[in-house]
Amino acid sequence: MIDPRTPVLVGVAQSVDRTSAPGAGLSPQEMMAAVARAAIADSGGSGVEAAIDCITVVRLFQDSGFGAPFGGQNNLPWSVGERIGAKAKRHLYGPVGGNSPQMLVNIHAQEIAEGKHEVVLLTGCEPIRSQSRALKAGIKLDWGEDAPEPAEVFGKETRYASKQEIQHGIAMPVNIYPLFENALGAHYGREPFAHRQAIGRLMERFAAVAAGNPYAQLPVARTAEEIITPDEENRYIGYPYTKYLNANMFVDQAAALLLMSTEAADRLGVPQEKRVYLHGSADTQEKILVSERVNYHSSPAVRIGAREALKQAGIGVDAIAHMDIYSCFSSAVEVAADEIGLRHDDPRGLTLTGGLPYFGGPGNNYSMHGIAEVIARCRAAPGATGFVFANGGFLTKHSFGVWSTTPKAFERADPAVYQAEIDAMQSPPLTEKPEGAGTIETFTVIHDKGVPAFAIVIGRLDADGSRFLAQIHEDPGALIDVPVVGRKVTVKPTDTVNIAALA
């Protein structure tokens, strides 16, 4: 007999808007209310709205440092609750990070098991497509809304970049994930163009999945050659990534999940075929700053997190039937696959959505769509196991979920126990004002409208092995499609940034 407090996911919903005219798109509150209603209906229960005691919203881009041109809201969970007729006692607003959907599921599942909540609604969205189209058309929308009380904010915000990293251009995903990619190419022993071809083959498979996904923002199949070949439409952003290899944030997408205790599911009449159980979970974080990473081709935090989640579920990688691996950039997929123990061409497929560049990258909320897709597959094949890997920051924070319709007693290890293993790992010391000879550890060439602007270099000084950050300003285009990682440089500090030159 399963414990009546065992958490179970009973409702999922997704939405996409590809067609609304400028000014006609829904506000974020309305987007989330619509998918919340759909997730409640999907559960098959009755009287669910009145039973919801916690509403959690994944943080929007507008509150992640991007600004809210059409007005902000001080309590988005309350706004959703008002629209669906739910009077939850707790209104929680999540943190910045693409790991948030699975992390919040893991935390709320534990809270349900501990009796702190009975029914939890999670939702999130991004209206960037509607926002940008309205701004371009000169249309002013009113999305502002104030609740009687502000939302509870989850945890403390993470500072993902240091002052020196920001000075050297190591501050945005489009500049940072290419650093991982070029390190991976060298780690795999590939020539640069051969590695780009491998990236293309990997992401061609993702685009094919997106082409068949009804919730994809850009359901277009692209060949590997189309994806990796730079041209006027598909310019380089940060080498080796063209536009088609970057996450697409210009989306109107929303998703919602409904979690509850088994006792509540029984009371509200949720059919057994709707219930999917969290068999394993984990949450880890890498060394937070990019300049502190152990190296740029691996992720100990992914390896350990996946290990813990699968161990908790009592299965190995081979038992996974359906999976969605976070895919903001191909390097995230490659690193995760390597650390989890998956082939890049695994016949099961590494995505169910089609990935952030093609399905769409709705900010911090992408993985809620991944969870929804996994849940749908688990329901369609009872007893099969689904796996979700969610990533936040710059391959920084990671959350894992193992799902199945088979009832299982809930358990969750304290993340602090296995996080200690990661925290104990040694990183190379950083020299902020390097001078002398060094070796390139990784690099990328940042482009401005398709034209090489400068190169970002992370290197190691020959004298003491310490790490340094630098830029190359002289002919950065010469670094494209030639072996660079492992090359010798000379580096010196200036009043602004450290400058490197090939030796």
Side-chain angles (χ1 to χ4, degrees):
M1 187 71 176
I2 197 164
D3 189 317
R5 292 187 302 184
T6 301
V8 60
L9 199 156
V10 300
V12 298
Q14 303 179 71
S15 71
V16 63
D17 176 5
R18 307 186 197 99
T19 60
S20 64
L26 296 178
S27 70
Q29 302 95 300
E30 293 292 351
M31 289 175 70
M32 290 186 287
V35 287
R37 294 186 196 101
I40 291 167
D42 178 65
S43 74
S46 57
V48 173
E49 292 87 348
I52 294 171
D53 53 18
C54 176
I55 301 176
T56 296
V57 168
V58 173
R59 184 170 292 265
L60 272 65
F61 263 159
Q62 67 176 30
D63 300 316
S64 303
F66 291 84
F70 299 137
Q73 311 84 19
N74 69 340
N75 193 332
L76 277 166
W78 176 88
S79 296
V80 172
E82 285 295 295
R83 285 164 172 78
I84 67 172
K87 301 297 182 184
K89 296 177 181 177
R90 187 184 187 194
H91 298 112
L92 181 64
Y93 198 36
V96 175
N99 62 310
S100 295
Q102 184 64 58
M103 178 195 71
L104 290 166
V105 165
N106 296 345
I107 290 169
H108 283 317
Q110 182 173 1
E111 290 174 337
I112 288 170
E114 293 172 349
K116 294 177 181 177
H117 293 300
E118 271 202 317
V119 181
V120 178
L121 172 69
L122 293 93
T123 184
C125 75
E126 279 302 337
I128 302 294
R129 171 189 172 274
S130 283
Q131 178 179 296
S132 61
R133 284 164 62 85
L135 288 170
K136 188 174 181 179
I139 298 171
K140 186 167 179 59
L141 304 174
D142 182 10
W143 290 350
E145 185 170 16
D146 285 333
E149 295 181 352
E152 174 190 348
V153 177
F154 179 90
K156 295 181 180 179
E157 285 304 320
T158 300
R159 184 168 173 262
Y160 286 101
S162 68
K163 180 180 179 181
Q164 198 192 40
E165 288 174 342
I166 294 168
Q167 287 172 335
H168 285 84
I170 304 174
M172 295 293 290
V174 293
N175 289 9
I176 294 172
Y177 280 89
L179 295 169
F180 301 138
E181 193 66 74
N182 286 317
L184 282 162
H187 173 68
Y188 296 144
R190 295 176 182 149
E191 292 296 311
F193 183 66
H195 185 56
R196 287 207 292 121
Q197 290 177 312
I199 295 169
R201 291 191 295 271
L202 172 66
M203 300 314 286
E204 178 183 71
R205 295 190 288 273
F206 276 63
V209 173
N213 189 309
Y215 299 107
Q217 193 74 47
L218 293 171
V220 178
R222 300 189 190 277
T223 66
E225 186 175 358
E226 286 178 296
I227 289 169
I228 69 168
T229 302
D231 57 29
E232 190 171 340
E233 170 61 25
N234 188 35
R235 297 169 174 170
Y236 274 131
I237 307 297
Y239 172 81
Y241 291 154
T242 58
K243 175 184 172 183
Y244 294 157
L245 285 166
N246 281 256
N248 171 29
M249 63 185 281
F250 292 95
V251 304
D252 281 354
Q253 291 175 310
L257 308 174
L258 187 65
L259 275 168
M260 58 179 65
S261 67
T262 295
E263 182 178 42
D266 291 343
R267 186 177 73 248
L268 299 173
V270 175
Q272 289 293 331
E273 62 266 22
K274 292 291 187 178
R275 305 184 190 192
V276 186
Y277 297 84
L278 187 60
H279 280 209
S281 67
D283 300 284
T284 59
Q285 65 180 40
E286 207 60 72
K287 306 280 186 179
I288 296 295
L289 297 181
V290 171
S291 58
E292 294 178 337
R293 301 295 168 85
V294 174
N295 59 52
Y296 297 102
H297 62 262
S298 72
S299 172
V302 172
R303 174 174 52 81
I304 291 166
R307 178 194 74 194
E308 292 298 318
L310 292 169
K311 181 173 71 174
Q312 192 177 96
I315 64 168
V317 172
D318 290 347
I320 299 170
H322 315 287
M323 69 187 90
D324 192 77
I325 305 300
Y326 198 88
S327 50
C328 49
F329 299 87
S330 52
S331 55
V333 178
E334 293 158 339
V335 169
D338 293 347
E339 300 291 15
I340 295 167
L342 300 165
R343 286 169 40 192
H344 295 184
D345 62 350
D346 192 298
R348 292 168 290 186
L350 302 181
T351 183
L352 296 173
T353 65
L356 283 79
Y358 318 114
F359 170 83
N364 300 314
N365 200 53
Y366 161 79
S367 283
M368 194 174 292
H369 295 268
I371 294 170
E373 295 287 347
V374 164
I375 296 307
R377 301 312 193 282
C378 289
R379 285 171 167 176
T385 299
F387 179 84
V388 174
F389 161 63
N391 160 62
F394 313 128
L395 270 179
T396 311
K397 294 188 174 185
H398 314 293
S399 293
F400 307 82
V402 183
W403 298 91
S404 175
T405 57
T406 303
K408 182 181 182 296
F410 178 79
E411 58 177 313
R412 174 171 159 81
D414 182 357
V417 175
Y418 47 84
Q419 181 63 42
E421 183 180 345
I422 303 163
D423 295 341
M425 295 178 182
Q426 294 299 307
S427 302
L430 181 71
T431 297
E432 293 198 356
K433 294 188 177 296
E435 189 158 8
T439 304
I440 294 177
E441 197 172 1
T442 192
F443 81 105
T444 182
V445 180
I446 305 304
H447 286 63
D448 181 9
K449 297 179 180 177
V451 178
F454 64 93
I456 299 172
V457 170
I458 300 179
R460 304 284 284 275
L461 287 174
D462 291 349
D464 60 8
S466 64
R467 182 172 281 157
F468 65 84
L469 312 180
Q471 292 183 354
I472 293 177
H473 292 173
E474 184 178 346
D475 194 14
L479 305 179
I480 291 175
D481 278 353
V482 298
V484 172
V485 174
R487 291 275 299 272
K488 294 295 183 180
V489 292
T490 57
V491 61
K492 62 181 180 181
T494 71
D495 292 339
T496 52
V497 297
N498 302 320
I499 296 294
L502 292 177

